[in-house]
């Protein structure tokens, strides 16, 4: 049986008589018939026969408003070197579709969460009040914060509870990061209901500080016809959820009026649960100047497109082409085939925003410094580790569904999966032995991609950049160099949040 048809038929599966014949899908998928240990229970499985809810039309949220910058989280302390603030996670009502209100979950009523603006070296103290109906945590995605301040699933703040997160940023850090919940099995829901926000860390020696800059926080939203955010269905748990709306700073396809001097710096966060953003601005080339971990060593200019996997960030310089035009240029998320099960192989293109270039002043060639960051030589790896991502299907009655595994195991909050020594450079070989893409993410530090291998073909990385999240295509192997700098338990997982919740996550003990 073909894998795609198998999943297409899953929605009505509970009405089928299961013959018991072993079922082997194409590729490397294993069918777990008897071995049910570690089977992550899919909350959606119980409601498999529930009729699909009618969704809001794709034009229900009005388009064309002028792009607004994200709301900024106010620092309660004046002066420099310290940042103190409060985040209240709570249900809120917002108006997205005219004539309707939508209940979202938000930080401080803001959708998406407010922008946290920090400076390298800052002492940070953030108070969380959890007014959600379930436990939550705040994870500071990408920031090197102490393990017990990093919102691990084991450090949940119960409904009605509060806690303070404290950490001090290194003096040499910069870039776009983000914060989001990380509770056991409920991260996906909390993020798709609205809990995620950007963090911008600045340094005093930013070589691009003179450029006009925007933060674009991209989120994904599904709404029913009556304006509600529905729960995940079976296919969402398998593929990761994608809604019918992709929002930029909470706005549907807004208008961006481009800077009159002809160049802008866009800092883009993919805060969606599972949507791949293959960014294109037809007629314009893009310069990649930074990734998850801040500036690249050298800018990559003349790019036609940039793939931003879920949880990744990019720092991009965009130029007016020199053609004054009254018609807007759409920033697209072009179709990207990530091997989704069941439905269409490729998503439809999404118009994220409309860019209005109103100038003919185009700096050409781009006025970027040749070196954006000096790059220290990384020591040779002293230790090797291997992480294999896999999928397996279960047909056992009442538990039909997928398992997503790391090294053959489903997440266990009481288990240590790997041990690393603080300060030791390691090479991790990450293998995607499954039929769909998975973005690999690790907490506590950032890594260098050494090379990628697919179909026996090895591609060395052509430029130096720091990441905390790297995408792996089906049957791809990625080798990274990584050093952990603080002791404690760190999570590593697939950042399709549904997969994370289903157990595609492990625990690294840094000693
Ligand atoms: Cu952004 Cu462990 O996650
Ligand atoms: Cu993280
Ligand atoms: Cu995954």
């Amino acid at each position: 049986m073909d894998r795609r048809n198998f999943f297409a038929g899953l929605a009505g599966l509970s009405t089928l008589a299961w013959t018991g014949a072993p079922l082997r899908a194409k590729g490397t998928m294993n069918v777990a018939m008897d071995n049910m240990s570690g089977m992550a229970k899919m909350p959606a499985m119980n409601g498999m026969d529930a009729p699909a809810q009618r969704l809001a039309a794709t034009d229900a949220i009005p388009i064309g408003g002028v792009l607004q910058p994200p709301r900024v989280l106010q620092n309660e302390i004046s002066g420099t070197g310290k940042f103190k603030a409060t985040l209240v996670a709570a249900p809120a009502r917002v108006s997205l579709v005219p004539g309707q209100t939508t209940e979202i979950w938000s930080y401080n009523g803001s959708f998406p969460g407010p922008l946290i603006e920090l400076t390298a070296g800052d002492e940070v103290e953030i108070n969380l009040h959890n007014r959600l109906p379930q436990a939550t945590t705040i994870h500071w995605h990408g920031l090197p914060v102490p393990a017990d301040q990093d919102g691990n699933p084991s450090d949940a703040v119960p409904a009605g509870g509060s806690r303070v997160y404290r950490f001090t940023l290194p003096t040499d850090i910069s870039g776009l990061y983000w914060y989001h919940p990380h509770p056991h099995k409920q991260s996906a829901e909390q993020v798709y209901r609205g809990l995620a926000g950007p963090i911008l860390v600045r340094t005093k020696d930013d070589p691009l500080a003179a450029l006009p800059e925007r933060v674009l926080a991209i989120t994904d939203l599904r709404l029913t016809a009556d304006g509600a955010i529905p729960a995940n269905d079976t296919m969402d748990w398998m593929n990761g959820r994608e809604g019918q709306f992709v929002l930029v700073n909470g706005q549907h396809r807004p208008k961006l009026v481009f800077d009159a001097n002809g160049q802008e710096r866009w800092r883009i966060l993919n805060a969606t649960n599972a949507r791949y953003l293959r960014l294109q601005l037809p007629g314009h080339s893009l310069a990649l100047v930074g990734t998850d971990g801040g500036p690249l060593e050298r800018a990559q200019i003349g790019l036609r497109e940039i793939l931003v996997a879920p949880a990744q960030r990019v720092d991009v310089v965009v130029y007016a082409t020199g053609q004054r035009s009254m018609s807007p240029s759409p920033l697209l998320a072009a179709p990207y085939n990530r091997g989704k099960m069941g439905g269409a192989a490729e998503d439809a293109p999404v118009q994220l925003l409309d860019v209005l270039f109103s100038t003919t002043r185009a700096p050409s060639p781009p006025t970027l410094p040749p070196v954006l960051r000096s790059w220290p030589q990384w020591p040779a790896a002293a230790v090797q580790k291997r992480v294999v991502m896999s999928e397996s299907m279960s047909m056992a009655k009442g538990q039909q569904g997928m398992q997503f595994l790391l090294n053959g195991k489903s997440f266990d909050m009481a288990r240590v999966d790997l041990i690393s020594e603080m300060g030791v450079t390691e090479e991790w070989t990450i293998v995607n032995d499954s039929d769909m893409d998975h973005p690999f993410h690790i907490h506590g530090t950032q890594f260098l991609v050494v090379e990628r291998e697919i179909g026996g073909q090895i591609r060395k990385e052509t430029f130096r950049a720091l990441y905390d999240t790297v995408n792996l295509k089906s049957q791809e192997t990625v080798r990274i160099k990584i050093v952990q700098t603080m002791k404690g338990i760190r999570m590593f997982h697939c950042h399709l949040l549904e997969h994370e919740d289903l157990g595609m996550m492990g625990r690294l003990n840094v000693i």
Side-chain angles (χ1 to χ4, degrees), residues 139 141-142 178 180 182 311 441 443 491 493 495 497 500 505:
H139 167 57
H141 181 120
W178 62 304
H180 64 79
H182 221 302
H441 168 58
H443 294 193
M491 320 307 298
H493 59 91
H495 218 293
L497 292 176
E500 175 199 318
M505 177 154 68

Side-chain angles (χ1 to χ4, degrees), residues 39-50 134 184-189 192 231-238 398-402 497-499 501-503:
M39 174 68 195
K41 194 130 169 54
M42 290 188 187
M45 288 294 126
N46 310 322
M48 260 178 47
D49 293 316
Q134 50 187 232
H184 189 38
K185 295 189 176 182
Q186 284 167 323
S187 299
E189 177 180 13
Y192 75 64
N232 271 344
D233 64 21
T234 306
M235 295 310 291
D236 295 326
W237 285 107
M238 290 180 200
Q399 295 197 321
Q400 299 95 340
M402 292 293 299
L497 292 176
E498 281 71 17
H499 293 179
D501 279 353
L502 288 178

